[in-house]
């Protein structure tokens, strides 16, 4: 047989059996061999993606380790010194919203990001507070005989609040 599991002489053999038995990995157990070959395939696929990424970085920056300071033509550099840029990632825009370099659109999105972040922080506190401090005494809905203590924390509360209660909140 040939190298790396390729059968150059036309012999039939099991996948991954290239006539070489690596120490500590070789086994006669077919299920274990199959599990190890699956792991090898998964790792090989990951390595293929990694080497393509390294080739791409090397082509853009001249370094397979991605020294992006050498890639001065990047449109992402337009916002590299803006508020919110943090090490080690730097300016992070995985979807490419800022690829056009439009400063006004960037500033609008940054304001929206701040607003959504603030709302999320308040929502997080609202989610945590009843767990820490407890709930209000008394009734949420006296007519339905529903106490605040009867409402579960988290998303389970959504189904427990009466419809008219939601109307009042909205």
């Amino acid at each position: 047989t040939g190298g790396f599991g390729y059968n150059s002489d036309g012999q039939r053999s099991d996948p991954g059996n290239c006539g070489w038995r690596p120490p500590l990995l070789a086994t006669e157990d077919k299920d274990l061999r199959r599990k190890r070959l699956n792991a090898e395939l998964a790792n090989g696929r990951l390595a293929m993606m990694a080497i393509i990424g390294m080739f791409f970085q090397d082509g853009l920056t001249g370094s397979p380790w991605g020294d992006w300071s050498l890639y001065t033509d990047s449109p992402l550099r337009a916002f590299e010194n803006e508020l919110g840029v943090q090490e080690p990632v730097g300016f992070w825009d995985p979807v490419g919203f800022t690829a056009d370099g439009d400063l006004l659109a960037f500033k609008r999105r940054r304001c929206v990001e701040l607003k959504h972040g603030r709302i999320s922080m308040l929502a997080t506190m609202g989610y945590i507070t009843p767990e820490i401090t407890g709930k209000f005494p008394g009734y949420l809905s006296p007519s339905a005989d529903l106490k605040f203590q009867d409402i579960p924390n988290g998303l389970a509360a959504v189904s427990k609040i009466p419809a008219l209660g939601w109307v009042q909140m909205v």
Side-chain angles (χ1 to χ4, degrees):
T1 60
F4 299 105
Y6 174 71
N7 296 324
S8 58
D9 58 3
Q11 288 182 342
R12 292 272 185 187
S13 64
D14 293 333
N17 183 0
C18 57
W20 177 68
R21 296 176 57 86
L24 305 174
L25 294 177
T27 180
E28 296 299 323
D29 182 354
K30 288 194 179 282
D31 290 335
L32 183 57
R33 182 184 307 144
R34 181 176 177 83
K35 179 180 176 184
R36 288 178 179 172
L37 284 173
N38 277 328
E40 185 178 0
L41 282 169
N43 290 333
R45 289 171 183 157
L46 183 62
M48 287 185 270
M49 294 301 294
I51 194 64
I52 292 299
M54 292 173 116
F55 287 156
F56 183 76
Q57 285 179 314
D58 193 11
L60 289 177
T61 67
S63 167
W65 308 112
D67 187 358
W68 290 102
S69 64
L70 301 175
Y71 184 46
T72 56
D73 296 332
S74 171
L76 301 179
R77 297 229 181 253
F79 306 112
E80 195 63 36
N81 295 318
E82 292 292 336
L83 178 69
V85 175
Q86 298 176 343
E87 293 296 329
V89 177
F91 181 69
W92 190 67
D93 181 21
V95 182
F97 286 130
T98 59
D100 60 359
D102 184 354
L103 184 60
L104 289 176
F106 171 80
K107 287 188 177 195
R108 182 184 112 357
R109 287 189 191 100
R110 184 54 42 105
C111 287
V112 169
E113 180 183 14
L114 280 169
K115 177 180 71 171
H116 290 166
R118 289 170 181 164
I119 291 169
S120 295
M121 287 186 276
L122 287 171
T124 302
M125 288 305 299
Y127 210 84
I128 294 171
T129 301
E131 295 284 345
I132 297 171
T133 63
K135 299 178 182 172
F136 292 123
Y139 287 88
L140 174 67
S141 174
S143 62
D145 194 34
L146 183 63
K147 296 180 180 179
F148 284 106
Q149 296 293 329
D150 298 336
I151 303 295
N153 292 337
L155 292 175
V158 173
S159 64
K160 303 298 183 205
I161 297 174
L164 288 177
W166 284 110
V167 171
Q168 289 175 351
M169 286 188 264
V170 177

